[in-house]
Amino acid sequence: MNYLILGITRGSMYALIALGYTLVYGVLQLINFAHSEVFMSGAFGSYAIVHLLVGDGKATPSWAVPFILIAGILSGAITAAVIAWLLERVAYRPLRRRGAPKLAFLISAIGASFFLSQLAGKLFGRLTSNSFPEFFDQNAVIFRPFGAEVRVLQIVIVASAVLMMIFLDRLVSVTKLGRSIRAISEDAPTAALMGIDIDKTISRTFIIGGLLGGAAGFLFGLNFSFGNTMGFIPGVKAFAAAVLGGIGNIRGAMIGGLLLGIVENLVPLVNIDTKWTDVVAFVVLVLVLMFRPTGILGERLGRAA
Amino acid sequence: MSEGLLQVQDIEVRYGAIRALKGVSFEVYEGEVVALLGANGAGKTTTQKTVSGMLQPAIGQILFDGERIDGIPAHKLISMGICHVPEGRRVFPRMTVHENLEMGAFRFKRPDAQLLEHVLELFPRLRERIKQHAGTLSGGEQQMLAIGRALMGKPRLLLLDEPSMGLAPLIVKQIFDIVREINSSGVTVLIVEQNAAQALALANRGYVLETGEIVLTGTGRELLADDRVRAAYLGEEIAAVS
Ligand SMILES: Nc1ncnc2c1ncn2[C@@H]1O[C@H](COP(=O)(O)OP(=O)(O)O)[C@@H](O)[C@H]1O
Ligand SMILES: [Mg+2]
C-alpha cells in the first residue's frame, strides 16, 4: 500500500510534466526536448520566492503554510511559463518561419536545454542537493488507510496535481483557446481558415505546458533535493509517460504519468532492487508500445485523416 | 462602372522556384457565381488559396470590396467575410458535426443559433449526425459539413474548391442545388471545378486556367458552347459519365 501511495504521488508529478510534452506535440508535431529544463526552472523560481518568504523556515507560523504553498506553486508555474514562452519565441518560432526540417528543431531544443541548465547552475550554484526550507512538517501522517501511511506532502502533491488536471481538461474541452488547440492539432491550415491565429495559440500552448511543468517543479523540489541537472530523469520519464498514454492525447498523458509512477514504485514488491526502478519503468514502456504502438489512448490521434 | 467585389490583378504565386500562377487576373461581382475551370495542376487551388490568404502572391494585388487584402493572413481575412471550403473538405475528423459547425463560427463571440438552425435545415443529414465525429461521415456528408461550416462564418464571398470531387452524381446534384440556393440568398460564389458542365450550368461567368494562366473567359453559356472547352473538359466528362 505504501508503495502504491508513493507511486501515485510520483506519477502525478510525471503526469503534470507529461502534459507539457503532449500539448506541444499536439500543436507542432514536435517533441519539446527542452521541456525538462522548463520543469527545472519552475523548481528554482519557486525556490527563490519561498526562500524569500520564509528564510530557513523554522519560524513559519502554521496558518501561513497554505499561503506559502500556493505562492510556491504560482511562482514555479509562472517562472516556467515565462521560460517556455521565451523558448518557443527564440528556439522554435524562427525555425518554423523558415520551414526548417525536424532535425533542426531537435538540435535547437538540445542547445536550449544546455543553456537553461547551465544558466541555473550559474545563478544558483551547481549543487545537486538544494532543498526547500522546512516550513511545515511534511512527513506528518494524516491518515492510515489499510495500514499504509499517507503524509501531508503526498496529499499536497496529489491534490494540487489533480486540481490542475481537472482545470486543464475543462479548459481544453470548453474554452475557445481549448478549441483552437484541438483544431490546430487536427489540421492547422484549416484551423487558420476558421480564423484561428496559429502563432498566438502555439505561444499559449507553451505557456500552459510551462505552468503545469513549473508547478511540478515546485512539488518535486519539496519532495526531493534538486539541482540544475534535475530535469533530465523526470523529463525522460514524463516523456515516456506521454508516449505511453499516446502522445498528443491529453488524458493519455495523465494516465500514462500515473501508471508509470505506480509501476516503478511497485518494483521493490517483487523483490527487485530499487536500483532497477528506472529499467523496469522503461521495460514496461517498451512492452506496452509493442502491443499498442500508438500508446494507451493514442488510437484516435494516430488515425487522423 | 461598378467594381468587382473581388478583384485579382496580375498575381504571381510561387512554391519555391515553381511559378504556379503566372500573372492571373479576374473579377467577381457581388451576387455572381464564377467558375474557375482547368485541368489538374492548372493552378485553380493555388488561386483560391491566395484569395483566402493561405498563400501570398509574390507579385500583383488582390482587392476585396475595394480594399487591398494581399498580405493579410487567412485567420484575419475570414473576418471580412471570405470563407473557404478547401479542396478535400478538410473537416475536423475528431470533432463532432456540431463542433465542426461551431468552428466555422469561431470568429464570432458565440455561434449564431438561428444560423445554425438554418444550416441544419439546408443539410438535414447533418442534423441526423450532429453528435457523430466528422471522421465517421461519408464523403458527401463531409462535403455538406464543410459547406455548412463555411456558412457559419457568414460569408460574403464563398470559395468552393471541387465540391463534387469523388461524389456520386446524385449527391453532386444535391450539392450544386444547395450552392444555387446559397447564392440566391445573396452570397457571392467562386467555385473551382473539373466537373465543367455542372459548374458552367450554375455559373454566371467562368475563367479557364491552363498552367498558371487564364486562357479563356466568358459567360457560362458561351464557355459551354466553346469548342475548346468542349474538347478539353466536356469530352472527358461525357466519357466518364457514360
Ligand atoms: N505545396 C506545393 N508545393 C509545390 N508545388 C505545388 C504545391 N501545390 C501545388 N503545386 C504545383 O502548383 C501547380 C498548381 O497546382 P494546383 O493549384 O493545386 O492546381 P489545381 O488545383 O488546378 O489542380 C501544380 O503544378 C502543382 O504541382
Ligand atoms: Mg486543386
Side-chain angles (χ1 to χ4, degrees):
Chain A
M1 252 332 260
N2 268 331
Y3 293 116
L4 186 63
I5 292 163
L6 275 178
I8 293 173
T9 309
R10 208 182 271 213
S12 54
M13 289 188 278
Y14 291 154
L16 286 180
I17 310 170
L19 284 166
Y21 285 105
T22 235
L23 282 166
V24 166
Y25 184 86
V27 292
L28 285 182
Q29 279 77 52
L30 171 89
I31 307 297
N32 173 16
F33 278 105
H35 188 57
S36 47
E37 273 55 51
V38 169
F39 158 74
M40 179 271 298
S41 68
F44 279 102
S46 54
Y47 176 74
I49 296 294
V50 170
H51 206 68
L52 204 71
L53 288 176
V54 301
D56 68 359
K58 293 211 174 65
T60 312
S62 58
W63 60 264
V65 170
F67 296 103
I68 293 163
L69 285 172
I70 291 171
I73 290 205
L74 286 180
S75 53
I78 292 168
T79 312
V82 170
I83 297 285
W85 177 79
L86 278 172
L87 181 72
E88 193 269 327
R89 281 300 167 103
V90 175
Y92 295 137
R93 189 171 294 193
L95 297 177
R96 211 146 49 72
R97 284 278 141 73
R98 287 176 181 75
K102 293 264 141 135
L103 186 61
F105 286 88
L106 179 63
I107 293 167
S108 189
I110 292 171
S113 262
F114 274 116
F115 173 79
L116 289 171
S117 159
Q118 295 307 318
L119 182 69
K122 188 93 189 139
L123 292 176
F124 294 94
R126 285 163 206 284
L127 293 173
T128 52
S129 56
N130 295 295
S131 57
F132 275 85
E134 283 245 354
F135 57 93
F136 64 108
D137 183 6
Q138 302 186 343
N139 293 320
V141 175
I142 296 285
F143 60 99
R144 301 171 189 274
F146 309 104
E149 296 177 334
V150 177
R151 295 168 198 281
V152 179
L153 181 59
Q154 292 168 333
I155 291 182
V156 168
I157 291 175
V158 174
S160 29
V162 167
L163 270 179
M164 281 185 278
M165 288 191 264
I166 291 172
F167 182 74
L168 177 73
D169 202 72
R170 293 292 82 202
L171 179 108
V172 169
S173 47
V174 178
T175 65
K176 278 192 115 176
L177 174 59
R179 283 282 171 90
S180 315
I181 292 175
R182 284 172 62 201
I184 293 176
S185 307
E186 292 200 24
D187 186 339
T190 306
L193 281 182
M194 305 294 114
I196 293 171
D197 185 336
I198 306 231
D199 281 344
K200 201 160 91 185
T201 308
I202 287 175
S203 240
R204 291 182 179 175
T205 306
F206 272 83
I207 289 173
I208 296 170
L211 288 171
L212 299 169
F218 169 69
L219 298 174
F220 187 92
L222 278 182
N223 210 0
F224 306 102
S225 60
F226 61 95
N228 64 322
T229 55
M230 68 185 275
F232 185 68
I233 297 281
V236 170
K237 292 222 184 119
F239 168 57
V243 174
L244 188 65
I247 186 90
N249 187 305
I250 288 168
R251 289 187 181 161
M254 300 179 190
I255 293 171
L258 274 177
L259 208 65
L260 194 68
I262 291 170
V263 167
E264 69 174 21
N265 278 285
L266 293 181
V267 167
L269 282 190
V270 284
N271 272 329
I272 304 178
D273 195 301
T274 47
K275 275 189 295 202
W276 294 88
T277 301
D278 296 353
V279 177
V280 171
F282 284 100
V283 167
V284 169
L285 174 73
V286 170
L287 284 178
V288 170
L289 292 184
M290 263 160 64
F291 294 103
R292 286 192 70 87
T294 52
I296 298 168
L297 293 187
E299 195 162 40
R300 294 191 304 163
L301 181 93
R303 302 285 176 277
Chain B
M1 229 204 116
S2 70
E3 284 191 336
L5 176 66
L6 176 72
Q7 295 172 267
V8 173
Q9 299 173 347
D10 224 12
I11 57 168
E12 184 169 318
V13 178
R14 302 176 190 146
Y15 296 103
I18 304 167
R19 286 165 73 213
L21 299 184
K22 307 161 189 167
V24 167
S25 303
F26 65 92
E27 257 180 307
V28 181
Y29 293 94
E30 185 118 44
E32 271 191 316
V33 177
V34 170
L36 270 180
L37 309 174
N40 235 333
K44 307 180 296 294
T45 296
T46 304
T47 305
Q48 280 208 334
K49 282 185 168 176
T50 312
V51 171
S52 71
M54 295 175 85
L55 296 171
Q56 298 300 337
I59 303 176
Q61 47 185 2
I62 305 176
L63 287 91
F64 184 73
D65 211 7
E67 277 181 60
R68 281 284 291 270
I69 59 163
D70 49 283
I72 300 179
H75 70 265
K76 288 192 182 139
L77 269 187
I78 189 175
S79 59
M80 301 183 73
I82 299 179
C83 298
H84 186 167
V85 180
E87 188 172 26
R89 321 173 193 4
R90 306 294 283 265
V91 295
F92 297 106
R94 281 170 289 137
M95 293 190 191
T96 63
V97 167
H98 190 226
E99 287 174 320
N100 265 278
L101 291 170
E102 286 182 347
M103 284 309 303
F106 188 88
R107 71 177 174 111
F108 304 112
K109 233 192 164 78
R110 61 190 54 203
D112 181 333
Q114 251 179 314
L115 181 57
L116 178 65
E117 189 52 34
H118 173 70
V119 168
L120 293 175
E121 267 159 33
L122 218 48
F123 301 106
R125 292 252 216 127
L126 297 183
R127 194 195 297 276
E128 290 165 25
R129 312 220 183 289
I130 192 92
K131 290 199 170 119
Q132 252 171 266
H133 278 171
T136 65
L137 302 183
S138 72
E141 289 162 351
Q142 289 194 4
Q143 188 64 57
M144 294 175 186
L145 179 55
I147 296 173
R149 183 179 65 180
L151 291 179
M152 292 299 293
K154 302 190 180 171
R156 286 184 70 194
L157 173 66
L158 184 64
L159 307 173
L160 295 166
D161 196 340
E162 299 210 39
S164 73
M165 197 206 292
L167 302 183
L170 197 67
I171 312 267
V172 173
K173 186 176 173 309
Q174 276 180 21
I175 286 181
F176 274 84
D177 284 345
I178 285 168
V179 172
R180 185 172 288 120
E181 200 175 325
I182 292 168
N183 174 247
S184 58
S185 74
V187 179
T188 308
V189 177
L190 176 64
I191 184 169
V192 158
E193 263 300 337
Q194 291 204 41
N195 198 333
Q198 296 260 19
L200 287 174
L202 179 71
N204 304 94
R205 294 184 303 114
Y207 294 87
V208 178
L209 266 172
E210 225 174 82
T211 56
E213 283 169 302
I214 289 182
V215 292
L216 204 62
T217 171
T219 64
R221 218 174 274 266
E222 284 165 1
L223 290 176
L224 266 178
D226 190 285
D227 286 341
R228 285 168 292 178
V229 174
R230 298 187 72 84
Y233 306 111
L234 300 180
E236 281 177 17
E237 243 161 35
I238 291 159
V241 168
S242 58

